[in-house]
Amino acid sequence: MQRIDEQTSPTPMVKEIDIPEKLLLFLRQKSGVRRKFDQKKYSVTELIKCPRETFYKKTGQKPEETLGESIQGMWSSLRGNFLHQLTNAYSWNELETEYKVQLDDNKSATLVGRLDMYDEKTKTVLDLKTTNNVLWQVKHQMIPKPEHILQVQCYYTMFSKIIPIEHLNLIYADMSEIVVFDVFLKDRTKWIANRIEILETDLENGIVPMAQENSNCKFCKFQSACQSQGKIAGVKNRYNV
């Protein structure tokens, strides 16, 4: 019987294909490269953060150097990366999905979300937030932050179509303490669609949204542009829904 050489066979048993998206995403994250979303694709963090910051990013406003690139900012980032290793406590972590959002006039958009952790036994979504002085913030009722509650509720809306979810947990951690909050389940379908509708309208018409001042402003890469723009009265209520 004639032996067929697998290396020269006219029907090879393997073929080269593209690098899997998950591997590319991992490499981008570790090298500091972030995926750029077009106007019809948003991340959950883009929806819940200051709408003016999202507007600047979507319209290609040039970012500037901020406190986030100083020694304090670099240490904050390093601390966050270190504490984020807590997500390895669960075998289900860094889960990502794309959620289709139906807009007016038969238009649609895509919302991208990623879970830090999921406990399949208790059907719990866990989202980790690294910060400073956790116990002090709890004492002064500074956490959980409303935008973080909104974020995990958006995750519930997106991921409950894929996996069973019965609990939402927000975990706040610093270098010495961990505090966990249980967040009530709430469907944010209407909020998500409305938020994207408003952002899309502002982007199409060049309307700079009202700034939402908070503790993250000092890390924002659009501080100068934001300060020169002013608050723009009359726009704020459109986003507070």
Side-chain angles (χ1 to χ4, degrees):
M1 180 181 295
Q2 183 178 5
R3 178 178 178 275
I4 299 176
D5 189 343
E6 294 180 351
Q7 297 298 322
T8 59
S9 172
T11 56
M13 303 180 73
V14 298
K15 67 176 182 178
E16 185 176 355
I17 60 174
D18 294 335
I19 298 173
E21 181 62 27
K22 288 290 185 180
L23 289 180
L24 289 175
L25 178 63
F26 176 82
L27 292 172
R28 292 189 189 108
Q29 290 172 347
K30 295 304 179 183
S31 61
V33 177
R34 293 292 181 263
R35 183 190 306 177
K36 293 183 178 179
F37 297 110
D38 56 32
Q39 289 189 11
K40 295 296 183 183
K41 181 174 283 190
Y42 294 84
S43 66
V44 172
T45 53
E46 284 180 323
L47 287 195
I48 66 170
K49 66 171 51 176
C50 170
R52 182 175 289 184
E53 181 182 352
T54 298
F55 178 89
Y56 285 147
K57 288 177 62 179
K58 291 286 188 180
T59 54
Q61 177 80 31
K62 185 178 179 180
E64 59 195 56
E65 184 177 347
T66 67
L67 180 61
E69 295 169 352
S70 66
I71 294 298
Q72 177 184 345
M74 287 188 288
W75 166 241
S76 177
S77 177
L78 182 62
R79 181 198 65 218
N81 290 338
F82 172 76
L83 291 173
H84 207 74
Q85 294 181 42
L86 287 171
T87 60
N88 294 325
Y90 292 86
S91 57
W92 291 43
N93 58 58
E94 305 294 343
L95 304 178
E96 189 173 275
T97 191
E98 291 191 354
Y99 174 79
K100 294 297 181 182
V101 182
Q102 191 62 44
L103 306 176
D104 292 340
D105 301 325
N106 294 320
K107 296 180 180 179
S108 64
T110 302
L111 184 62
V112 178
R114 185 175 65 199
L115 301 183
D116 284 340
M117 296 163 280
Y118 174 73
D119 187 336
E120 72 278 14
K121 293 182 180 179
T122 61
K123 301 177 178 62
T124 302
V125 166
L126 305 99
D127 197 62
L128 175 64
K129 304 297 181 186
T130 60
T131 185
N132 290 318
N133 304 317
V134 165
L135 296 183
W136 183 87
Q137 291 193 63
V138 172
K139 180 179 178 180
H140 292 83
Q141 298 182 333
M142 297 177 65
I143 53 176
K145 295 184 177 182
E147 60 266 29
H148 294 163
I149 294 173
L150 181 59
Q151 182 177 8
V152 293
Q153 289 175 338
C154 285
Y155 289 153
Y156 166 68
T157 303
M158 300 169 66
F159 282 88
S160 60
K161 315 299 182 191
I162 306 171
I163 54 178
I165 299 175
E166 296 182 2
H167 304 281
L168 302 173
N169 286 175
L170 272 173
I171 303 173
Y172 289 89
D174 59 21
M175 298 301 283
S176 59
E177 301 289 346
I178 297 177
V179 176
V180 183
F181 295 93
D182 189 55
V183 178
F184 67 91
L185 304 178
K186 184 172 182 177
D187 185 356
R188 288 290 183 176
T189 301
K190 291 183 178 180
W191 182 90
I192 290 170
N194 187 72
R195 186 79 164 191
I196 293 178
E197 288 275 10
I198 296 173
L199 281 166
E200 286 287 312
T201 299
D202 286 350
L203 287 164
E204 290 173 5
N205 295 284
I207 301 173
V208 181
M210 179 75 177
Q212 292 181 352
E213 299 180 54
N214 54 54
S215 59
N216 293 322
C217 287
K218 63 183 179 180
F219 297 108
C220 180
K221 293 182 177 291
F222 305 101
Q223 293 180 42
S224 298
C226 182
Q227 291 171 6
S228 65
Q229 199 76 46
K231 293 190 175 182
I232 309 183
V235 180
K236 181 177 182 180
N237 290 338
R238 298 168 64 247
Y239 282 89
N240 290 346
V241 294

